[in-house]
Amino acid sequence: MIIRHSAENDFERMMEIYAYARDFMVKTGNPNQWGPTNWPPEDLIHEDIRAGKSYICEKDGKVIGTFFFDCGHDIEPTYRDIESGSWSSEEPYGVIHRIAGDGSVKGIGAFCINWAYEQCGHLRIDTHGDNVVMQSLLQKLGFEKRGIIHVVEDHYPRFAYEKK
């Protein structure tokens, strides 16, 4: 598998992957994270691509996964307020969002998250309380649950994880 920046000609495939991910979430007991809002919205994905913060995972020339990644200081505004815990440090960090695979290859999520971690050595990510699949993956990859954050998309709290 390889990771590369997304391009506009990847957009339709990315939206197919997000549709698959929403369905997968519903089937695994997580209907509220992306389903009710049909997350992520198309305009946000276009914005991510233009900003150079959208990535895809390919295997044998086929796009099988996608995610958002950025790295820097204080780059995620929703991470400024964390409840029932704290971040390990205020040093620059990477953040990964909107990670999704098409289900065709085992380990897409781990591959993408590990790639992002290798880029900066300090990674933060959040997930819905019902997303036990992602919570299990993050724990397996050595992330620590750090507290609870809130996103603007909905009123469901998110578990915040960090690996440093």
Side-chain angles (χ1 to χ4, degrees):
M1 289 187 278
I2 64 163
I3 303 292
R4 67 167 173 83
H5 278 99
S6 303
E8 279 298 330
N9 64 349
D10 297 311
F11 177 78
E12 285 186 34
R13 178 67 180 137
M14 293 166 66
M15 296 314 291
E16 290 173 0
I17 292 170
Y18 284 125
Y20 173 86
R22 283 190 296 273
D23 185 57
F24 176 82
M25 287 181 179
V26 169
K27 290 177 180 174
T28 57
N30 182 21
N32 296 311
Q33 185 169 354
W34 287 1
T37 59
N38 202 36
W39 192 259
E42 291 184 3
D43 60 335
L44 181 59
I45 301 305
H46 287 298
E47 182 181 318
D48 291 349
I49 293 170
R50 281 191 301 275
K53 297 176 182 179
S54 176
Y55 294 83
I56 60 168
C57 179
E58 287 184 336
K59 182 169 184 180
D60 301 326
K62 181 182 178 193
V63 176
I64 59 172
T66 185
F67 61 98
F68 168 96
F69 172 72
D70 194 12
C71 195
H73 183 73
D74 195 29
I75 55 173
E76 177 51 65
T78 61
Y79 287 178
R80 290 179 188 144
D81 296 317
I82 185 168
E83 300 170 357
S84 303
S86 64
W87 299 113
S88 66
S89 77
E90 293 306 314
E91 296 174 12
Y93 60 90
V95 64
I96 191 167
H97 291 308
R98 299 183 280 288
I99 184 167
D102 70 358
S104 67
V105 177
K106 187 171 173 56
I108 295 170
F111 185 82
C112 294
I113 292 169
N114 284 333
W115 177 90
Y117 181 75
E118 289 170 8
Q119 307 311 300
C120 60
H122 183 191
L123 193 61
R124 294 177 180 173
I125 188 171
D126 65 88
T127 194
H128 194 283
D130 291 339
N131 195 342
V132 295
V133 172
M134 181 57 77
Q135 291 171 45
S136 176
L137 175 60
L138 293 172
Q139 290 169 357
K140 177 182 165 189
L141 295 177
F143 283 77
E144 293 181 38
K145 190 186 295 185
R146 303 298 304 184
I148 296 172
I149 60 102
H150 296 274
V151 297
V152 296
E153 299 86 56
D154 60 46
H155 299 291
Y156 294 100
R158 301 294 200 271
F159 292 140
Y161 288 85
E162 182 176 42
K163 182 175 180 178
K164 186 171 183 324

